[in-house]
Coordinates of all heavy atoms in Angstrom, one line a residue:
R230 N 0.8 -1.2 0.0 CA 0.0 0.0 0.0 C 0.9 1.2 0.0 O 1.8 1.4 0.8 CB -0.9 0.0 1.2 CG -1.8 1.2 1.3 CD -3.0 1.0 2.3 NE -2.5 0.5 3.6 CZ -2.3 1.4 4.6 NH1 -2.4 2.7 4.4 NH2 -1.8 0.9 5.8
N231 N 0.5 2.2 -0.9 CA 1.3 3.5 -1.0 C 0.5 4.5 -0.3 O -0.7 4.9 -0.6 CB 1.4 3.8 -2.5 CG 2.2 5.1 -2.7 OD1 2.7 5.7 -1.7 ND2 2.4 5.5 -3.9
R232 N 1.1 5.1 0.8 CA 0.4 6.1 1.6 C 0.7 7.5 1.2 O 0.2 8.5 1.8 CB 0.9 5.9 3.1 CG 0.5 4.6 3.6 CD 0.7 4.5 5.1 NE 2.1 4.6 5.5 CZ 2.6 4.3 6.7 NH1 1.8 3.9 7.7 NH2 3.9 4.4 7.0
S233 N 1.5 7.6 0.1 CA 1.8 9.0 -0.3 C 1.0 9.4 -1.5 O 0.2 8.5 -2.1 CB 3.3 9.1 -0.8 OG 3.5 8.3 -2.0
D234 N 1.0 10.6 -2.0 CA 0.2 11.1 -3.1 C 1.0 11.1 -4.4 O 0.6 11.8 -5.3 CB -0.4 12.5 -2.8 CG 0.7 13.5 -2.5 OD1 1.9 13.2 -2.5 OD2 0.3 14.7 -2.1
S235 N 2.0 10.3 -4.5 CA 2.8 10.2 -5.7 C 3.2 8.7 -5.9 O 3.1 7.9 -5.0 CB 4.1 11.1 -5.7 OG 4.9 10.7 -4.6
V236 N 3.4 8.3 -7.2 CA 3.8 6.9 -7.5 C 5.1 6.6 -6.7 O 6.0 7.4 -6.6 CB 4.0 6.8 -9.0 CG1 4.5 5.4 -9.3 CG2 2.7 7.1 -9.7
A237 N 5.1 5.4 -6.1 CA 6.2 4.9 -5.4 C 6.7 3.6 -6.0 O 5.9 2.8 -6.5 CB 5.9 4.7 -3.9
S238 N 8.0 3.4 -6.0 CA 8.6 2.2 -6.5 C 9.7 1.7 -5.6 O 10.2 2.4 -4.7 CB 9.2 2.4 -7.9 OG 10.2 3.4 -7.9
G239 N 10.1 0.4 -5.7 CA 11.2 -0.2 -4.9 C 11.3 -1.6 -5.2 O 10.9 -2.1 -6.3
T240 N 11.8 -2.4 -4.3 CA 12.0 -3.8 -4.5 C 11.5 -4.6 -3.3 O 11.5 -4.1 -2.2 CB 13.5 -4.2 -4.7 OG1 14.3 -3.6 -3.5 CG2 14.0 -3.5 -6.0
V241 N 11.0 -5.8 -3.6 CA 10.5 -6.7 -2.5 C 11.7 -7.8 -2.4 O 12.1 -8.3 -3.4 CB 9.2 -7.4 -2.9 CG1 8.8 -8.4 -1.9 CG2 8.1 -6.3 -3.1
T242 N 12.0 -8.1 -1.1 CA 13.0 -9.1 -0.9 C 12.3 -10.2 0.0 O 11.4 -9.9 0.8 CB 14.2 -8.6 -0.2 OG1 13.9 -8.0 1.0 CG2 15.0 -7.6 -1.1
Y243 N 12.9 -11.4 0.0 CA 12.3 -12.6 0.6 C 13.4 -13.3 1.5 O 14.6 -13.3 1.1 CB 11.7 -13.6 -0.4 CG 10.7 -13.0 -1.3 CD1 11.0 -12.4 -2.4 CD2 9.3 -13.1 -0.9 CE1 10.1 -11.8 -3.3 CE2 8.4 -12.6 -1.8 CZ 8.7 -11.9 -3.0 OH 7.8 -11.4 -3.8
E244 N 13.0 -13.7 2.7 CA 13.9 -14.5 3.5 C 13.1 -15.8 3.9 O 11.9 -15.7 4.3 CB 14.3 -13.8 4.7 CG 15.2 -12.6 4.5 CD 15.7 -11.9 5.8 OE1 15.7 -12.6 6.8 OE2 16.0 -10.7 5.7
V245 N 13.8 -17.0 3.7 CA 13.2 -18.2 4.0 C 14.0 -19.0 4.9 O 15.2 -18.7 5.2 CB 12.9 -19.0 2.6 CG1 12.0 -18.3 1.8 CG2 14.3 -19.2 1.9
P246 N 13.5 -20.2 5.5 CA 14.3 -20.9 6.4 C 15.6 -21.5 5.8 O 15.7 -21.6 4.6 CB 13.4 -22.1 6.8 CG 12.0 -21.5 6.6 CD 12.1 -20.7 5.4
D247 N 16.5 -21.8 6.6 CA 17.9 -22.4 6.1 C 17.5 -23.6 5.4 O 16.7 -24.4 5.7 CB 18.7 -22.7 7.3 CG 19.3 -21.5 8.0 OD1 19.2 -20.4 7.4 OD2 19.7 -21.6 9.2
G248 N 18.2 -23.8 4.2 CA 18.0 -24.9 3.4 C 17.0 -24.7 2.3 O 16.9 -25.6 1.4
W249 N 16.2 -23.6 2.4 CA 15.2 -23.3 1.3 C 15.8 -22.4 0.3 O 16.8 -21.7 0.6 CB 14.0 -22.6 2.0 CG 13.2 -23.5 2.9 CD1 13.7 -24.3 3.9 CD2 11.8 -23.6 2.9 NE1 12.6 -25.0 4.5 CE2 11.5 -24.5 4.0 CE3 10.7 -23.1 2.2 CZ2 10.2 -24.9 4.3 CZ3 9.4 -23.4 2.5 CH2 9.1 -24.3 3.6
S250 N 15.2 -22.3 -0.9 CA 15.7 -21.4 -1.9 C 14.7 -20.2 -2.0 O 13.5 -20.4 -2.2 CB 15.7 -22.0 -3.3 OG 16.7 -23.0 -3.3
A251 N 15.2 -19.0 -1.7 CA 14.3 -17.8 -1.7 C 14.1 -17.3 -3.1 O 14.9 -17.4 -4.0 CB 15.0 -16.7 -0.8
P252 N 12.9 -16.7 -3.3 CA 12.7 -16.1 -4.6 C 13.6 -14.9 -4.9 O 14.1 -14.3 -3.9 CB 11.2 -15.6 -4.5 CG 10.6 -16.4 -3.4 CD 11.7 -16.6 -2.5
A253 N 13.8 -14.6 -6.1 CA 14.6 -13.4 -6.5 C 14.0 -12.2 -6.0 O 12.7 -12.0 -6.0 CB 14.9 -13.4 -8.0
T254 N 14.8 -11.1 -5.8 CA 14.3 -9.8 -5.5 C 13.4 -9.3 -6.6 O 13.8 -9.5 -7.8 CB 15.4 -8.8 -5.2 OG1 16.2 -9.3 -4.1 CG2 14.9 -7.5 -4.9
A255 N 12.2 -8.7 -6.3 CA 11.3 -8.3 -7.4 C 11.0 -6.8 -7.2 O 10.9 -6.3 -6.2 CB 10.0 -9.0 -7.2
A256 N 11.0 -6.2 -8.4 CA 10.7 -4.7 -8.5 C 9.2 -4.5 -8.4 O 8.4 -5.3 -8.8 CB 11.3 -4.1 -9.8
F257 N 8.8 -3.3 -7.8 CA 7.4 -3.0 -7.7 C 7.2 -1.5 -8.0 O 8.1 -0.7 -7.9 CB 6.8 -3.4 -6.4 CG 7.3 -2.5 -5.3 CD1 6.8 -1.3 -5.0 CD2 8.3 -3.0 -4.4 CE1 7.2 -0.5 -4.0 CE2 8.8 -2.2 -3.4 CZ 8.2 -0.9 -3.1
E258 N 5.9 -1.2 -8.4 CA 5.6 0.2 -8.5 C 4.1 0.3 -8.1 O 3.2 -0.5 -8.5 CB 5.6 0.7 -10.0 CG 5.3 2.1 -10.2 CD 5.6 2.6 -11.6 OE1 6.8 2.9 -11.9 OE2 4.5 2.7 -12.3
V259 N 3.8 1.2 -7.1 CA 2.5 1.3 -6.5 C 2.0 2.7 -6.9 O 2.6 3.7 -6.7 CB 2.6 1.2 -5.0 CG1 1.2 1.0 -4.5 CG2 3.4 0.0 -4.6
P260 N 0.7 2.8 -7.4 CA 0.2 4.1 -7.7 C -0.1 5.0 -6.5 O -0.1 4.4 -5.4 CB -1.1 3.7 -8.4 CG -1.5 2.4 -7.9 CD -0.2 1.7 -7.7
A261 N -0.2 6.2 -6.7 CA -0.4 7.2 -5.5 C -1.7 6.8 -4.8 O -2.7 6.5 -5.4 CB -0.5 8.6 -6.1
S262 N -1.5 6.7 -3.5 CA -2.6 6.3 -2.6 C -3.3 5.0 -3.0 O -4.5 4.8 -2.7 CB -3.7 7.4 -2.5 OG -3.1 8.6 -2.1
G263 N -2.6 4.1 -3.6 CA -3.2 2.9 -4.1 C -2.5 1.6 -3.6 O -1.6 1.7 -2.7
T264 N -2.8 0.5 -4.1 CA -2.2 -0.8 -3.6 C -1.8 -1.6 -4.9 O -2.3 -1.4 -5.9 CB -3.2 -1.7 -2.8 OG1 -4.4 -2.0 -3.6 CG2 -3.6 -0.9 -1.5

C-alpha cells in the first residue's frame, strides 16, 4: 500500500528458512494512494 500522493517504486525481498531457496528480489511500482 502506498500512503503517499505520488507513485512509489522499490524492491521486494524474501527470506526463507535455512536450506530453502528464496525467490529473487522483485521490483514493484505502486500508484499514488493505491495498492
Side-chain angles (χ1 to χ4, degrees):
R230 179 164 54 92
N231 183 0
R232 302 189 291 192
S233 72
D234 57 3
S235 59
V236 176
S238 61
T240 55
V241 178
T242 59
Y243 302 86
E244 293 182 25
V245 294
D247 291 342
W249 294 47
S250 296
T254 298
F257 69 81
E258 186 174 278
V259 192
S262 303
T264 62

